[in-house]
Amino acid sequence: MKHWMAENGGIVSCTDEEYGVRKDDGLGIIKPVNSSGGLLFLSLLMTALFGLMLYGVVQMAVTGQWHIMGEIWWMYVLVLYPLFAGWAGYVTERKAEKLRRARNLPRPVEHPSRQ
């Protein structure tokens, strides 16, 4: 069970599945995106950029420039990690939203370890 402070100041308890993705700022300068809408937007954006990269592969194949692919193949593997992580985060948060809505729980606004 996790406990967090709700927007109204009350303490709420939930399971890990109902909590979803990490909600704190990670002590970074830029605040993370942890809403399902924001994660969906970022995942779609990364998917579109990966699609452009695949379009580049098709263009290299059509024009016979395979030597370029030999130099940059690792970029495609590198881009797959954030792409899959983004979609996994979206699915996790979307499932958590549905579980919270079923129990009429508010959205967490603070990480449980910060209390």
Side-chain angles (χ1 to χ4, degrees):
M1 291 296 272
K2 290 187 177 192
H3 305 282
W4 77 83
M5 186 173 297
E7 292 173 342
N8 63 4
I11 301 295
V12 180
S13 298
C14 70
T15 63
D16 289 340
E17 290 82 23
E18 291 170 332
Y19 185 74
V21 297
R22 186 173 161 175
K23 304 291 191 264
D24 70 341
D25 61 5
L27 301 176
I29 296 172
I30 299 172
K31 301 292 182 196
V33 174
N34 54 26
S35 66
S36 64
L39 291 169
L40 176 62
F41 172 76
L42 290 176
S43 298
L44 289 172
L45 181 64
M46 287 187 293
T47 301
L49 293 174
F50 189 73
L52 288 174
M53 289 177 70
L54 291 179
Y55 175 75
V57 169
V58 170
Q59 289 301 313
M60 283 184 260
V62 169
T63 58
Q65 298 175 348
W66 284 104
H67 65 282
I68 297 172
M69 190 61 189
E71 298 171 2
I72 62 167
W73 65 269
W74 57 271
M75 287 178 27
Y76 292 91
V77 176
L78 190 66
V79 168
L80 285 177
Y81 178 75
L83 182 66
F84 289 140
W87 282 109
Y90 167 71
V91 169
T92 301
E93 185 59 26
R94 187 72 179 131
K95 180 180 173 187
E97 277 184 354
K98 288 180 181 180
L99 291 172
R100 288 192 303 263
R101 195 172 314 137
R103 283 192 48 205
N104 200 21
L105 295 172
R107 185 176 187 278
V109 294
E110 186 175 316
H111 193 271
S113 64
R114 299 281 177 122
Q115 297 174 3

Short mmCIF file of all heavy atoms in Angstrom, two decimals, residues 28-92:
data_model
loop_
_atom_site.label_atom_id
_atom_site.label_comp_id
_atom_site.label_asym_id
_atom_site.label_seq_id
_atom_site.Cartn_x
_atom_site.Cartn_y
_atom_site.Cartn_z
N GLY A 28 14.84 17.17 -10.24
CA GLY A 28 15.39 17.73 -11.46
C GLY A 28 14.87 19.13 -11.72
O GLY A 28 13.95 19.62 -11.07
N ILE A 29 15.46 19.79 -12.67
CA ILE A 29 15.05 21.14 -13.03
C ILE A 29 13.74 21.10 -13.81
O ILE A 29 12.85 21.90 -13.58
CB ILE A 29 16.15 21.83 -13.87
CG1 ILE A 29 17.40 22.00 -13.01
CG2 ILE A 29 15.66 23.17 -14.39
CD1 ILE A 29 18.60 22.50 -13.79
N ILE A 30 13.61 20.13 -14.71
CA ILE A 30 12.42 20.01 -15.53
C ILE A 30 11.47 19.02 -14.86
O ILE A 30 11.85 17.92 -14.51
CB ILE A 30 12.78 19.52 -16.94
CG1 ILE A 30 13.72 20.52 -17.60
CG2 ILE A 30 11.54 19.30 -17.77
CD1 ILE A 30 14.29 20.07 -18.91
N LYS A 31 10.22 19.43 -14.70
CA LYS A 31 9.21 18.57 -14.10
C LYS A 31 8.85 17.45 -15.07
O LYS A 31 8.65 17.70 -16.26
CB LYS A 31 7.95 19.36 -13.74
CG LYS A 31 8.20 20.48 -12.78
CD LYS A 31 8.58 19.96 -11.43
CE LYS A 31 8.79 21.10 -10.46
NZ LYS A 31 9.48 20.72 -9.28
N PRO A 32 8.73 16.22 -14.59
CA PRO A 32 8.41 15.10 -15.49
C PRO A 32 6.94 15.12 -15.90
O PRO A 32 6.09 15.66 -15.21
CB PRO A 32 8.71 13.87 -14.64
CG PRO A 32 8.48 14.32 -13.25
CD PRO A 32 8.92 15.76 -13.21
N VAL A 33 6.68 14.50 -17.03
CA VAL A 33 5.31 14.31 -17.49
C VAL A 33 4.83 12.99 -16.89
O VAL A 33 5.46 11.96 -17.11
CB VAL A 33 5.24 14.26 -19.03
CG1 VAL A 33 3.85 13.92 -19.50
CG2 VAL A 33 5.72 15.56 -19.61
N ASN A 34 3.75 13.02 -16.11
CA ASN A 34 3.27 11.79 -15.52
C ASN A 34 1.76 11.64 -15.60
O ASN A 34 1.19 10.81 -14.93
CB ASN A 34 3.75 11.65 -14.07
CG ASN A 34 3.39 12.85 -13.23
OD1 ASN A 34 2.44 13.55 -13.51
ND2 ASN A 34 4.17 13.08 -12.20
N SER A 35 1.10 12.42 -16.42
CA SER A 35 -0.32 12.23 -16.67
C SER A 35 -0.47 11.36 -17.91
O SER A 35 0.41 11.32 -18.77
CB SER A 35 -1.02 13.57 -16.89
OG SER A 35 -0.57 14.17 -18.09
N SER A 36 -1.59 10.65 -18.00
CA SER A 36 -1.76 9.76 -19.15
C SER A 36 -1.83 10.56 -20.46
O SER A 36 -1.31 10.12 -21.49
CB SER A 36 -2.99 8.88 -18.99
OG SER A 36 -4.16 9.65 -18.97
N GLY A 37 -2.44 11.74 -20.43
CA GLY A 37 -2.51 12.56 -21.64
C GLY A 37 -1.13 13.03 -22.10
O GLY A 37 -0.81 13.00 -23.28
N GLY A 38 -0.31 13.46 -21.15
CA GLY A 38 1.05 13.89 -21.49
C GLY A 38 1.91 12.75 -21.97
O GLY A 38 2.69 12.89 -22.93
N LEU A 39 1.77 11.59 -21.33
CA LEU A 39 2.54 10.42 -21.76
C LEU A 39 2.10 9.94 -23.13
O LEU A 39 2.92 9.51 -23.94
CB LEU A 39 2.42 9.30 -20.73
CG LEU A 39 3.11 9.56 -19.40
CD1 LEU A 39 2.71 8.52 -18.36
CD2 LEU A 39 4.62 9.59 -19.56
N LEU A 40 0.79 10.03 -23.41
CA LEU A 40 0.30 9.66 -24.74
C LEU A 40 0.88 10.59 -25.80
O LEU A 40 1.34 10.14 -26.85
CB LEU A 40 -1.23 9.69 -24.77
CG LEU A 40 -1.87 9.41 -26.12
CD1 LEU A 40 -1.52 8.01 -26.61
CD2 LEU A 40 -3.37 9.59 -26.04
N PHE A 41 0.87 11.90 -25.53
CA PHE A 41 1.42 12.86 -26.48
C PHE A 41 2.90 12.57 -26.77
O PHE A 41 3.32 12.52 -27.93
CB PHE A 41 1.25 14.28 -25.96
CG PHE A 41 1.95 15.30 -26.81
CD1 PHE A 41 1.42 15.69 -28.02
CD2 PHE A 41 3.15 15.86 -26.39
CE1 PHE A 41 2.07 16.62 -28.82
CE2 PHE A 41 3.81 16.79 -27.18
CZ PHE A 41 3.27 17.17 -28.39
N LEU A 42 3.68 12.36 -25.71
CA LEU A 42 5.11 12.09 -25.91
C LEU A 42 5.33 10.77 -26.65
O LEU A 42 6.22 10.67 -27.50
CB LEU A 42 5.83 12.07 -24.56
CG LEU A 42 5.97 13.43 -23.87
CD1 LEU A 42 6.62 13.26 -22.51
CD2 LEU A 42 6.77 14.39 -24.73
N SER A 43 4.54 9.76 -26.33
CA SER A 43 4.68 8.47 -27.02
C SER A 43 4.33 8.59 -28.49
O SER A 43 5.02 8.02 -29.34
CB SER A 43 3.79 7.42 -26.35
OG SER A 43 4.20 7.22 -25.02
N LEU A 44 3.27 9.32 -28.81
CA LEU A 44 2.92 9.52 -30.21
C LEU A 44 3.98 10.32 -30.95
O LEU A 44 4.31 10.03 -32.10
CB LEU A 44 1.56 10.22 -30.32
CG LEU A 44 0.35 9.37 -29.94
CD1 LEU A 44 -0.91 10.23 -29.91
CD2 LEU A 44 0.18 8.21 -30.90
N LEU A 45 4.55 11.32 -30.28
CA LEU A 45 5.61 12.11 -30.87
C LEU A 45 6.84 11.25 -31.17
O LEU A 45 7.41 11.32 -32.26
CB LEU A 45 5.97 13.28 -29.95
CG LEU A 45 7.05 14.24 -30.45
CD1 LEU A 45 6.58 14.96 -31.70
CD2 LEU A 45 7.40 15.23 -29.36
N MET A 46 7.23 10.43 -30.19
CA MET A 46 8.39 9.55 -30.41
C MET A 46 8.11 8.53 -31.51
O MET A 46 9.00 8.20 -32.30
CB MET A 46 8.77 8.83 -29.11
CG MET A 46 9.42 9.73 -28.10
SD MET A 46 10.06 8.86 -26.65
CE MET A 46 8.57 8.29 -25.88
N THR A 47 6.88 8.04 -31.58
CA THR A 47 6.52 7.08 -32.63
C THR A 47 6.60 7.74 -34.00
O THR A 47 7.10 7.14 -34.96
CB THR A 47 5.11 6.52 -32.37
OG1 THR A 47 5.08 5.89 -31.09
CG2 THR A 47 4.71 5.53 -33.44
N ALA A 48 6.13 8.98 -34.10
CA ALA A 48 6.20 9.70 -35.37
C ALA A 48 7.66 9.94 -35.78
O ALA A 48 8.01 9.76 -36.95
CB ALA A 48 5.46 11.02 -35.27
N LEU A 49 8.50 10.30 -34.82
CA LEU A 49 9.92 10.51 -35.14
C LEU A 49 10.59 9.21 -35.56
O LEU A 49 11.43 9.20 -36.47
CB LEU A 49 10.63 11.14 -33.96
CG LEU A 49 10.20 12.57 -33.63
CD1 LEU A 49 10.87 13.06 -32.34
CD2 LEU A 49 10.50 13.50 -34.78
N PHE A 50 10.22 8.11 -34.91
CA PHE A 50 10.77 6.81 -35.30
C PHE A 50 10.29 6.45 -36.71
O PHE A 50 11.04 5.88 -37.50
CB PHE A 50 10.38 5.72 -34.30
CG PHE A 50 11.09 4.43 -34.55
CD1 PHE A 50 12.44 4.30 -34.26
CD2 PHE A 50 10.41 3.34 -35.06
CE1 PHE A 50 13.11 3.11 -34.49
CE2 PHE A 50 11.07 2.15 -35.30
CZ PHE A 50 12.42 2.04 -35.01
N GLY A 51 9.05 6.80 -37.03
CA GLY A 51 8.54 6.58 -38.38
C GLY A 51 9.34 7.35 -39.42
O GLY A 51 9.61 6.84 -40.51
N LEU A 52 9.74 8.58 -39.08
CA LEU A 52 10.59 9.35 -39.99
C LEU A 52 11.95 8.69 -40.17
O LEU A 52 12.52 8.71 -41.27
CB LEU A 52 10.75 10.78 -39.47
CG LEU A 52 9.52 11.67 -39.59
CD1 LEU A 52 9.77 13.01 -38.91
CD2 LEU A 52 9.15 11.88 -41.04
N MET A 53 12.46 8.11 -39.08
CA MET A 53 13.73 7.40 -39.19
C MET A 53 13.59 6.18 -40.12
O MET A 53 14.47 5.90 -40.94
CB MET A 53 14.23 6.95 -37.82
CG MET A 53 14.70 8.09 -36.94
SD MET A 53 15.21 7.56 -35.29
CE MET A 53 16.71 6.68 -35.67
N LEU A 54 12.47 5.47 -40.01
CA LEU A 54 12.24 4.33 -40.89
C LEU A 54 12.06 4.78 -42.34
O LEU A 54 12.50 4.09 -43.27
CB LEU A 54 11.02 3.54 -40.43
CG LEU A 54 11.18 2.79 -39.11
CD1 LEU A 54 9.89 2.08 -38.75
CD2 LEU A 54 12.34 1.82 -39.17
N TYR A 55 11.45 5.93 -42.53
CA TYR A 55 11.34 6.49 -43.88
C TYR A 55 12.74 6.75 -44.45
O TYR A 55 12.98 6.52 -45.64
CB TYR A 55 10.53 7.78 -43.85
CG TYR A 55 10.46 8.48 -45.18
CD1 TYR A 55 9.65 8.00 -46.19
CD2 TYR A 55 11.22 9.63 -45.42
CE1 TYR A 55 9.59 8.63 -47.42
CE2 TYR A 55 11.17 10.27 -46.64
CZ TYR A 55 10.35 9.77 -47.64
OH TYR A 55 10.30 10.40 -48.86
N GLY A 56 13.64 7.20 -43.61
CA GLY A 56 15.02 7.40 -44.04
C GLY A 56 15.67 6.10 -44.49
O GLY A 56 16.44 6.08 -45.46
N VAL A 57 15.38 5.00 -43.80
CA VAL A 57 15.91 3.69 -44.20
C VAL A 57 15.39 3.30 -45.58
O VAL A 57 16.14 2.82 -46.43
CB VAL A 57 15.55 2.60 -43.16
CG1 VAL A 57 15.86 1.21 -43.68
CG2 VAL A 57 16.28 2.86 -41.86
N VAL A 58 14.10 3.53 -45.80
CA VAL A 58 13.51 3.21 -47.11
C VAL A 58 14.18 4.05 -48.20
O VAL A 58 14.51 3.54 -49.28
CB VAL A 58 11.98 3.44 -47.08
CG1 VAL A 58 11.38 3.36 -48.48
CG2 VAL A 58 11.32 2.45 -46.14
N GLN A 59 14.42 5.32 -47.91
CA GLN A 59 15.07 6.18 -48.90
C GLN A 59 16.50 5.73 -49.17
O GLN A 59 16.97 5.78 -50.32
CB GLN A 59 15.07 7.64 -48.43
CG GLN A 59 13.70 8.27 -48.48
CD GLN A 59 13.12 8.23 -49.89
OE1 GLN A 59 13.78 8.57 -50.87
NE2 GLN A 59 11.87 7.80 -49.98
N MET A 60 17.19 5.26 -48.12
CA MET A 60 18.55 4.74 -48.34
C MET A 60 18.51 3.48 -49.19
O MET A 60 19.39 3.27 -50.04
CB MET A 60 19.23 4.44 -47.00
CG MET A 60 19.73 5.66 -46.27
SD MET A 60 20.62 5.22 -44.78
CE MET A 60 19.36 5.52 -43.56
N ALA A 61 17.50 2.64 -48.99
CA ALA A 61 17.38 1.42 -49.78
C ALA A 61 17.06 1.72 -51.24
O ALA A 61 17.62 1.12 -52.15
CB ALA A 61 16.29 0.52 -49.19
N VAL A 62 16.17 2.69 -51.45
CA VAL A 62 15.78 3.05 -52.82
C VAL A 62 16.94 3.66 -53.58
O VAL A 62 17.14 3.37 -54.76
CB VAL A 62 14.56 4.01 -52.79
CG1 VAL A 62 14.29 4.61 -54.15
CG2 VAL A 62 13.33 3.28 -52.27
N THR A 63 17.74 4.48 -52.91
CA THR A 63 18.83 5.17 -53.59
C THR A 63 20.15 4.40 -53.53
O THR A 63 21.16 4.87 -54.06
CB THR A 63 19.04 6.58 -52.99
OG1 THR A 63 19.32 6.46 -51.60
CG2 THR A 63 17.82 7.44 -53.21
N GLY A 64 20.14 3.24 -52.87
CA GLY A 64 21.35 2.41 -52.83
C GLY A 64 22.45 2.95 -51.92
O GLY A 64 23.63 2.74 -52.19
N GLN A 65 22.11 3.62 -50.86
CA GLN A 65 23.10 4.19 -49.94
C GLN A 65 23.19 3.37 -48.66
O GLN A 65 23.15 3.90 -47.55
CB GLN A 65 22.73 5.64 -49.62
CG GLN A 65 22.73 6.53 -50.83
CD GLN A 65 22.25 7.93 -50.49
OE1 GLN A 65 21.71 8.19 -49.43
NE2 GLN A 65 22.46 8.85 -51.41
N TRP A 66 23.37 2.09 -48.79
CA TRP A 66 23.40 1.21 -47.61
C TRP A 66 24.63 1.43 -46.75
O TRP A 66 24.64 1.07 -45.57
CB TRP A 66 23.32 -0.25 -48.04
CG TRP A 66 21.93 -0.61 -48.45
CD1 TRP A 66 21.46 -0.78 -49.71
CD2 TRP A 66 20.82 -0.79 -47.58
NE1 TRP A 66 20.12 -1.06 -49.69
CE2 TRP A 66 19.70 -1.09 -48.37
CE3 TRP A 66 20.65 -0.75 -46.20
CZ2 TRP A 66 18.44 -1.33 -47.85
CZ3 TRP A 66 19.38 -1.00 -45.67
CH2 TRP A 66 18.30 -1.28 -46.49
N HIS A 67 25.67 2.04 -47.29
CA HIS A 67 26.86 2.30 -46.47
C HIS A 67 26.53 3.27 -45.32
O HIS A 67 27.13 3.19 -44.26
CB HIS A 67 27.99 2.85 -47.34
CG HIS A 67 27.68 4.19 -47.94
ND1 HIS A 67 26.86 4.34 -49.05
CD2 HIS A 67 28.07 5.44 -47.58
CE1 HIS A 67 26.76 5.63 -49.34
NE2 HIS A 67 27.49 6.32 -48.47
N ILE A 68 25.56 4.15 -45.53
CA ILE A 68 25.14 5.07 -44.46
C ILE A 68 24.48 4.28 -43.34
O ILE A 68 24.73 4.54 -42.16
CB ILE A 68 24.18 6.15 -45.01
CG1 ILE A 68 24.90 7.01 -46.04
CG2 ILE A 68 23.63 7.00 -43.88
CD1 ILE A 68 24.00 7.98 -46.77
N MET A 69 23.66 3.31 -43.69
CA MET A 69 22.98 2.50 -42.68
C MET A 69 23.99 1.74 -41.83
O MET A 69 23.79 1.56 -40.63
CB MET A 69 22.02 1.52 -43.36
CG MET A 69 21.12 0.81 -42.43
SD MET A 69 20.08 1.98 -41.55
CE MET A 69 19.35 0.89 -40.37
N GLY A 70 25.09 1.33 -42.42
CA GLY A 70 26.14 0.64 -41.67
C GLY A 70 26.78 1.53 -40.61
O GLY A 70 27.30 1.04 -39.61
N GLU A 71 26.73 2.82 -40.80
CA GLU A 71 27.32 3.76 -39.85
C GLU A 71 26.34 4.21 -38.76
O GLU A 71 26.77 4.61 -37.69
CB GLU A 71 27.85 4.99 -40.60
CG GLU A 71 28.95 4.68 -41.58
CD GLU A 71 29.30 5.86 -42.46
OE1 GLU A 71 28.72 6.95 -42.27
OE2 GLU A 71 30.15 5.70 -43.36
N ILE A 72 25.05 4.18 -39.04
CA ILE A 72 24.09 4.73 -38.08
C ILE A 72 23.09 3.71 -37.56
O ILE A 72 22.12 4.08 -36.91
CB ILE A 72 23.31 5.92 -38.70
CG1 ILE A 72 22.49 5.46 -39.90
CG2 ILE A 72 24.24 7.06 -39.06
CD1 ILE A 72 21.48 6.48 -40.37
N TRP A 73 23.30 2.42 -37.76
CA TRP A 73 22.33 1.41 -37.33
C TRP A 73 22.07 1.46 -35.83
O TRP A 73 20.97 1.20 -35.36
CB TRP A 73 22.81 0.01 -37.71
CG TRP A 73 24.06 -0.39 -36.99
CD1 TRP A 73 25.34 -0.20 -37.41
CD2 TRP A 73 24.12 -1.01 -35.71
NE1 TRP A 73 26.21 -0.66 -36.47
CE2 TRP A 73 25.49 -1.18 -35.41
CE3 TRP A 73 23.18 -1.45 -34.79
CZ2 TRP A 73 25.93 -1.75 -34.23
CZ3 TRP A 73 23.62 -2.03 -33.62
CH2 TRP A 73 24.98 -2.17 -33.36
N TRP A 74 23.07 1.82 -35.04
CA TRP A 74 22.94 1.83 -33.58
C TRP A 74 21.94 2.87 -33.10
O TRP A 74 21.36 2.75 -32.03
CB TRP A 74 24.30 2.07 -32.94
CG TRP A 74 24.95 3.34 -33.41
CD1 TRP A 74 25.77 3.50 -34.49
CD2 TRP A 74 24.80 4.64 -32.83
NE1 TRP A 74 26.13 4.83 -34.62
CE2 TRP A 74 25.55 5.54 -33.61
CE3 TRP A 74 24.11 5.12 -31.73
CZ2 TRP A 74 25.62 6.90 -33.31
CZ3 TRP A 74 24.17 6.49 -31.44
CH2 TRP A 74 24.93 7.35 -32.24
N MET A 75 21.70 3.92 -33.91
CA MET A 75 20.73 4.94 -33.52
C MET A 75 19.32 4.36 -33.45
O MET A 75 18.53 4.74 -32.57
CB MET A 75 20.76 6.11 -34.50
CG MET A 75 21.98 6.97 -34.37
SD MET A 75 22.10 8.34 -35.55
CE MET A 75 20.47 8.74 -35.98
N TYR A 76 19.01 3.44 -34.33
CA TYR A 76 17.68 2.83 -34.32
C TYR A 76 17.47 1.99 -33.07
O TYR A 76 16.39 2.01 -32.48
CB TYR A 76 17.48 2.00 -35.59
CG TYR A 76 17.41 2.87 -36.81
CD1 TYR A 76 18.56 3.18 -37.54
CD2 TYR A 76 16.21 3.43 -37.22
CE1 TYR A 76 18.50 4.01 -38.64
CE2 TYR A 76 16.15 4.26 -38.33
CZ TYR A 76 17.30 4.54 -39.02
OH TYR A 76 17.24 5.37 -40.10
N VAL A 77 18.49 1.28 -32.66
CA VAL A 77 18.41 0.48 -31.44
C VAL A 77 18.30 1.41 -30.23
O VAL A 77 17.52 1.16 -29.31
CB VAL A 77 19.64 -0.44 -31.32
CG1 VAL A 77 19.63 -1.20 -30.01
CG2 VAL A 77 19.70 -1.40 -32.50
N LEU A 78 19.05 2.48 -30.22
CA LEU A 78 19.04 3.45 -29.12
C LEU A 78 17.68 4.13 -28.97
O LEU A 78 17.21 4.35 -27.85
CB LEU A 78 20.13 4.50 -29.35
CG LEU A 78 20.44 5.44 -28.22
CD1 LEU A 78 21.06 4.67 -27.06
CD2 LEU A 78 21.43 6.50 -28.69
N VAL A 79 17.01 4.41 -30.06
CA VAL A 79 15.72 5.09 -30.02
C VAL A 79 14.60 4.17 -29.55
O VAL A 79 13.59 4.63 -29.02
CB VAL A 79 15.40 5.68 -31.41
CG1 VAL A 79 13.98 6.15 -31.53
CG2 VAL A 79 16.35 6.82 -31.72
N LEU A 80 14.77 2.85 -29.69
CA LEU A 80 13.72 1.92 -29.29
C LEU A 80 13.48 1.94 -27.79
O LEU A 80 12.34 1.76 -27.35
CB LEU A 80 14.06 0.51 -29.75
CG LEU A 80 13.89 0.25 -31.24
CD1 LEU A 80 14.33 -1.16 -31.57
CD2 LEU A 80 12.46 0.47 -31.67
N TYR A 81 14.51 2.16 -26.97
CA TYR A 81 14.32 2.14 -25.52
C TYR A 81 13.36 3.23 -25.04
O TYR A 81 12.36 2.92 -24.37
CB TYR A 81 15.66 2.23 -24.79
CG TYR A 81 15.50 2.26 -23.30
CD1 TYR A 81 15.19 1.09 -22.61
CD2 TYR A 81 15.62 3.44 -22.58
CE1 TYR A 81 15.01 1.11 -21.24
CE2 TYR A 81 15.44 3.47 -21.21
CZ TYR A 81 15.14 2.29 -20.56
OH TYR A 81 14.95 2.31 -19.21
N PRO A 82 13.57 4.51 -25.35
CA PRO A 82 12.59 5.50 -24.90
C PRO A 82 11.22 5.32 -25.55
O PRO A 82 10.20 5.65 -24.95
CB PRO A 82 13.21 6.85 -25.26
CG PRO A 82 14.33 6.56 -26.16
CD PRO A 82 14.72 5.14 -25.99
N LEU A 83 11.18 4.79 -26.76
CA LEU A 83 9.91 4.56 -27.42
C LEU A 83 9.09 3.54 -26.65
O LEU A 83 7.92 3.78 -26.31
CB LEU A 83 10.16 4.08 -28.86
CG LEU A 83 8.92 3.84 -29.71
CD1 LEU A 83 8.20 5.15 -29.97
CD2 LEU A 83 9.33 3.20 -31.03
N PHE A 84 9.68 2.40 -26.31
CA PHE A 84 8.98 1.37 -25.54
C PHE A 84 8.70 1.84 -24.12
O PHE A 84 7.64 1.55 -23.56
CB PHE A 84 9.75 0.06 -25.53
CG PHE A 84 9.74 -0.64 -26.86
CD1 PHE A 84 10.88 -1.26 -27.33
CD2 PHE A 84 8.60 -0.68 -27.65
CE1 PHE A 84 10.88 -1.92 -28.55
CE2 PHE A 84 8.59 -1.33 -28.88
CZ PHE A 84 9.74 -1.95 -29.33
N ALA A 85 9.62 2.56 -23.51
CA ALA A 85 9.42 3.07 -22.15
C ALA A 85 8.26 4.06 -22.11
O ALA A 85 7.46 4.07 -21.16
CB ALA A 85 10.69 3.71 -21.63
N GLY A 86 8.15 4.90 -23.12
CA GLY A 86 7.05 5.86 -23.18
C GLY A 86 5.70 5.18 -23.28
O GLY A 86 4.76 5.53 -22.57
N TRP A 87 5.60 4.18 -24.15
CA TRP A 87 4.33 3.46 -24.28
C TRP A 87 4.03 2.65 -23.03
O TRP A 87 2.86 2.56 -22.62
CB TRP A 87 4.33 2.58 -25.52
CG TRP A 87 4.09 3.38 -26.77
CD1 TRP A 87 4.99 3.67 -27.75
CD2 TRP A 87 2.87 4.03 -27.14
NE1 TRP A 87 4.40 4.45 -28.71
CE2 TRP A 87 3.10 4.68 -28.37
CE3 TRP A 87 1.61 4.12 -26.56
CZ2 TRP A 87 2.11 5.41 -29.02
CZ3 TRP A 87 0.61 4.85 -27.22
CH2 TRP A 87 0.88 5.48 -28.43
N ALA A 88 5.04 2.07 -22.40
CA ALA A 88 4.81 1.31 -21.16
C ALA A 88 4.34 2.24 -20.05
O ALA A 88 3.43 1.89 -19.27
CB ALA A 88 6.08 0.58 -20.74
N GLY A 89 4.91 3.43 -19.94
CA GLY A 89 4.47 4.40 -18.95
C GLY A 89 3.04 4.85 -19.19
O GLY A 89 2.25 5.00 -18.25
N TYR A 90 2.69 5.06 -20.45
CA TYR A 90 1.32 5.45 -20.78
C TYR A 90 0.33 4.36 -20.38
O TYR A 90 -0.70 4.65 -19.74
CB TYR A 90 1.18 5.76 -22.27
CG TYR A 90 -0.27 5.87 -22.69
CD1 TYR A 90 -1.04 6.96 -22.30
CD2 TYR A 90 -0.87 4.88 -23.44
CE1 TYR A 90 -2.37 7.06 -22.65
CE2 TYR A 90 -2.21 4.96 -23.80
CZ TYR A 90 -2.94 6.05 -23.40
OH TYR A 90 -4.26 6.14 -23.75
N VAL A 91 0.63 3.12 -20.73
CA VAL A 91 -0.27 2.01 -20.40
C VAL A 91 -0.41 1.87 -18.89
O VAL A 91 -1.51 1.68 -18.37
CB VAL A 91 0.23 0.70 -21.05
CG1 VAL A 91 -0.52 -0.50 -20.51
CG2 VAL A 91 0.10 0.78 -22.56
N THR A 92 0.70 2.00 -18.16
CA THR A 92 0.66 1.90 -16.70
C THR A 92 -0.19 2.99 -16.08
O THR A 92 -1.03 2.73 -15.21
CB THR A 92 2.09 1.97 -16.13
OG1 THR A 92 2.87 0.91 -16.67
CG2 THR A 92 2.10 1.88 -14.62
#
